[in-house]
Amino acid sequence: MRLDILNRGYSPKTKVVFGVVRLFSGRPLPDAAKLVFYRPDFYGDRAKEFTHEAMRGPSDWSVGDRELMAAYVSEVNGTAFCVGAHSACARLAYQDESRVAAVLADLESAPIEESLRATLRMLGTLTRDGAVGADDVRDVLAAGVSPKQVRDALAVCAAFTITDRLADAFGFEVLDRDGFDAGAKYLLKRGYR
């Protein structure tokens, strides 16, 4: 059930921003963007900064890798909006639709580097179970992932575990492929701020 707060409760200035976005893009603002405009002092500004740093800050993971991590965490959480949004971002970042589809269909047989597979496996465990142990982290390190890459991947997982919960609680509208692709182009160009 969709929470109505995403349909109302914005300042006149914010409503003008929404109108301008619709005018230039031909599409309404996605619910994820609407959420950060609602009470930006409480949630939105902090969420944008944290997510931007996790997804676009300095990292040895590529943008495509981090978008794939977001899509994978969202798949484990069963959050259709975020799977669609971040699958689209990963597809465009990699310029490889089959790679993203393969990971989401079956991580173990997907044609990806073992370091990324081990990291996604750890993120899946953390997402499903709410914890990982020392052995889980050792397995990732043994696959050639650096401690900084582990931290970066955990930041992506944290950002999207929160976003997934909010998407489900607020009943984010699932877009069609064109809508997700349009959002992905924006996110790849501008980031999460």
Side-chain angles (χ1 to χ4, degrees), residues 25-177:
S25 72
R27 299 183 170 279
L29 203 62
D31 290 337
K34 287 180 182 177
L35 182 62
V36 297
F37 279 101
Y38 180 75
R39 304 236 358 237
D41 56 323
F42 176 73
Y43 170 76
D45 292 343
R46 290 175 182 94
K48 287 190 298 186
E49 285 302 316
F50 179 77
T51 304
H52 186 80
E53 184 64 24
M55 300 303 286
R56 298 296 185 269
S59 179
D60 291 333
W61 294 115
S62 71
V63 167
D65 293 340
R66 288 180 276 175
E67 290 291 349
L68 183 59
M69 289 174 196
Y72 186 76
V73 166
S74 299
E75 178 72 25
V76 172
N77 278 326
T79 304
F81 175 86
C82 293
V83 172
H86 300 287
S87 294
C89 287
R91 280 194 313 268
L92 289 174
Y94 285 138
Q95 292 295 299
D96 187 348
E97 184 167 344
S98 63
R99 176 183 176 109
V100 176
V103 167
L104 297 180
D106 181 16
L107 175 61
E108 297 309 320
S109 67
I112 59 173
E113 303 80 14
E114 190 54 38
S115 58
L116 181 57
R117 184 184 332 277
T119 301
L120 291 169
R121 196 180 293 127
M122 177 189 68
L123 297 181
T125 299
L126 178 58
T127 302
R128 273 188 304 279
D129 301 345
V132 290
D135 288 340
D136 297 308
V137 176
R138 281 188 203 102
D139 290 345
V140 174
L141 295 172
V145 177
S146 72
K148 182 179 182 324
Q149 285 178 296
V150 171
R151 286 189 302 273
D152 293 347
L154 292 172
V156 171
C157 187
F160 285 93
T161 296
I162 293 166
T163 303
D164 290 345
R165 299 297 188 269
L166 291 169
D168 292 340
F170 282 91
F172 284 9
E173 179 185 348
V174 177
L175 308 175
D176 62 16
R177 182 172 174 125

